[in-house]
Amino acid sequence: MLLAGFFCTSAQAAAKIEHWQTAQGSRVYYVHTEGLPMVDIQVAFDAGSARDGYQFGLSALTSGLLDTGAGQWNADQIAQRFESVGAQFGSSISIDMASVSLRTLTDKPLFDKALETMQVILTQPSFNEADFQREKSRTLAGLKQQEESPAELASIAYYKALYGEHPYGHPASGEIVTVSGFEAADLRSFYQKYYVAANAMVVIVGDLSRQQAEQTAETLVSGLPVGQKPEPLPEVVMPVKAGKQHIEFPSTQTHVLVGMPGTYRKDPDYFTLYVGNHILGGGGLVSKLFEEVREKRGLAYSASSSFAPMFRKGPFTISLQTRNDQTGKALDVLNKTLADFIAQGPTEAELIAAKKNITGGFAMRFDTNKKLASYVSMIGFYEMPLDYLDTFQQNVEKVTTASIKDAFKRRVDPQLMQTITLGGSDKKSEK
């Protein structure tokens, strides 16, 4: 559920998030935690794969190259600097965002060295030719390998079916034809455009005082040009009719993905859809889809559904894998289960069970600075209310069977669902 499942916690465990801006206009989100002399820091940019333009894979390759050389240091020297102080550094992208993260001890000499290293990576990446060619070759090898992965191929076709030419429609890692054409200068210009202070957000969670957190945030972004935030992504255009595509693949199992653009981070229907989906297919072994497809009919090892909220409408997806010769039957059950749920909604008993499941036992999932930093990053990046964690439980409790039925009727339309099946044809599996 893309973090959503972890966001509930009881009021006393919820974090106090403080928020301010640096001198250069970067937003900062800070949570002070005690007990361990550690801190988790993330710097995120609106620079995910949705910002690739037509150079699919540019965001991912730019992010992957950051710590291969920066300032006067090469990749080995950077790794050695972090290792010498017991710090961990990482860079990653999603569709919406690119981020770098640091976990380090707060003991001053160790912290200062780790922070300096992170700051140089952020503000002075080299993008030198040898590193670029090596990472590009590695990416191309990965994309070639992807062609043998039915799950990856199905996912790529699925996003294309849902989003078409929208920035959400292409694979984050790119395509062989686009990545082949990259030059180091392309990465440098992507970095210069998007890795700027006005487009940056800093998250600090750990045992630093407010004053130390302010200094840390200023240090990290002070070497970045101010720049500007990019224009907001275009709205998602909804499909005009249902679509179905079968991709032939030499496997005994067929991957099935069915869905449509669903919900976004600030959606007023979000909690209703989230709780409803928990009952439909997000609650694992107790969900309706699992019961109908797996338990009653044994058509798949599992069947599930999810909403993946993003800046714009992320996908609502139902997925399963089934034997090639059972694909038609499994799809019929999937579609009927969804149609029944939209028409009838959940029972009161199902709703009570789902709420208990969602709001119960979250302390274990909320027990590290690193996890908390991820949640705070989501809250900050999408500019959600700072009391999001405090109010999650009551927002879940407000959901009713009627509101679920209403929201699903308005937001999930079987007439617009896109269906991707990828696997062998029936005859090939009847051996």
Side-chain angles (χ1 to χ4, degrees):
M1 280 296 303
L2 278 190
L3 301 179
F6 300 141
F7 284 160
C8 349
T9 182
S10 57
Q12 70 268 23
K16 184 190 173 211
I17 302 171
E18 296 181 50
H19 168 49
W20 65 89
Q21 289 200 342
T22 68
Q24 286 181 288
S26 304
R27 291 177 293 128
V28 186
Y29 296 84
Y30 158 70
V31 178
H32 179 247
T33 62
E34 291 174 341
L36 287 172
M38 293 184 78
V39 64
D40 279 271
I41 302 168
Q42 289 187 15
V43 185
F45 301 87
D46 180 345
S49 64
R51 298 296 180 186
D52 281 343
Y54 290 105
Q55 292 180 292
F56 303 159
L58 190 55
S59 164
L61 200 53
T62 303
S63 168
L65 222 67
L66 290 175
D67 64 349
T68 61
Q72 303 303 306
W73 309 317
N74 62 27
D76 290 339
Q77 290 166 321
I78 288 171
Q80 178 54 41
R81 284 182 66 86
F82 285 128
E83 220 169 273
S84 68
V85 294
Q88 295 172 340
F89 176 85
S91 62
S92 65
I93 65 142
S94 64
I95 290 177
D96 279 340
M97 77 172 100
S99 63
V100 296
S101 61
L102 175 70
R103 158 171 274 204
T104 181
L105 295 162
T106 50
D107 182 59
K108 188 163 168 48
L110 306 179
F111 176 78
D112 288 351
K113 186 173 182 180
L115 190 70
E116 182 198 5
T117 313
M118 185 188 201
Q119 195 263 351
V120 171
I121 290 170
L122 258 184
T123 58
Q124 303 173 48
S126 326
F127 298 115
N128 74 56
E129 190 62 29
D131 292 333
F132 165 70
Q133 292 297 347
R134 188 183 62 247
E135 289 300 315
K136 178 177 167 179
S137 297
R138 190 181 296 173
T139 301
L140 287 168
L143 290 171
K144 190 80 190 134
Q145 216 172 340
Q146 216 175 54
E147 292 174 355
E148 293 162 30
S149 164
E152 293 280 0
L153 292 175
S155 176
I156 290 166
Y158 176 67
Y159 271 79
K160 188 78 184 155
L162 261 60
Y163 294 106
E165 296 301 309
H166 188 273
Y168 284 176
H170 68 270
S173 49
E175 297 170 354
I176 289 174
V177 64
T178 56
V179 174
S180 298
F182 290 168
E183 294 175 4
D186 296 319
L187 277 65
R188 210 169 281 118
S189 60
F190 183 90
Y191 164 81
Q192 286 164 353
K193 180 175 182 182
Y194 292 107
Y195 285 69
V196 294
N199 193 33
M201 175 192 76
V202 183
V203 170
I204 300 169
V205 176
D207 194 12
L208 289 184
S209 68
R210 165 79 186 235
Q211 188 186 358
Q212 287 172 308
E214 286 178 12
Q215 288 168 347
T216 298
E218 293 291 345
T219 299
L220 281 171
V221 298
S222 61
L224 292 172
V226 175
Q228 57 191 45
K229 278 180 79 73
E231 285 294 307
L233 293 170
E235 292 286 352
V236 169
V237 178
M238 298 299 274
V240 291
K241 60 179 184 183
K244 198 167 183 181
Q245 183 187 355
H246 176 72
I247 300 161
E248 196 63 33
F249 191 87
S251 59
T252 54
Q253 293 269 316
T254 294
H255 287 253
V256 176
L257 292 168
V258 180
M260 62 182 284
T263 181
Y264 53 97
R265 273 288 167 210
K266 288 187 165 180
D267 190 343
D269 284 327
Y270 174 71
F271 284 97
T272 310
L273 293 169
Y274 170 56
V275 177
N277 180 70
H278 190 87
I279 299 163
L280 173 65
L285 309 185
V286 294
S287 70
K288 284 179 174 292
L289 280 164
F290 188 90
E291 185 187 345
E292 294 297 328
V293 176
R294 164 75 201 267
E295 290 295 306
K296 287 187 182 174
R297 296 171 181 86
L299 291 170
Y301 286 117
S302 73
S304 63
S305 62
S306 63
F307 281 100
M310 296 194 282
F311 178 69
R312 298 301 187 201
K313 288 177 180 172
F316 165 66
T317 308
I318 303 176
S319 61
L320 58 83
Q321 273 176 265
T322 187
R323 255 185 18 223
N324 293 336
D325 59 325
Q326 295 183 328
T327 305
K329 203 182 290 182
L331 260 175
D332 287 345
V333 175
L334 179 160
N335 288 323
K336 184 176 186 322
T337 305
L338 176 64
D340 288 350
F341 188 74
I342 293 168
Q344 296 155 20
T347 65
E348 198 60 47
E350 286 168 339
L351 179 61
I352 291 165
K355 286 180 178 179
K356 268 191 190 152
N357 204 292
I358 290 167
T359 57
F362 280 89
M364 290 300 289
R365 298 176 178 185
F366 206 67
D367 57 355
T368 69
N369 286 354
K370 194 173 184 180
K371 290 177 191 173
L372 183 53
S374 291
Y375 309 154
V376 175
S377 187
M378 184 281 293
I379 291 165
F381 186 82
Y382 294 106
E383 298 185 40
M384 310 289 282
L386 293 186
D387 65 354
Y388 184 84
L389 296 172
D390 291 308
T391 57
F392 193 101
Q393 200 159 317
Q394 64 202 64
N395 280 321
V396 167
E397 291 297 347
K398 279 183 203 163
V399 175
T400 64
T401 55
S403 69
I404 290 173
K405 189 174 166 183
D406 169 60
F408 268 77
K409 270 198 168 139
R410 284 184 292 104
R411 303 296 298 278
V412 181
D413 185 350
Q415 302 302 311
L416 302 182
M417 299 290 267
Q418 306 300 305
T419 300
I420 300 292
T421 55
L422 184 143
S425 59
D426 290 2
K427 291 188 176 113
K428 286 183 183 167
S429 64
E430 291 166 7
K431 288 181 179 173

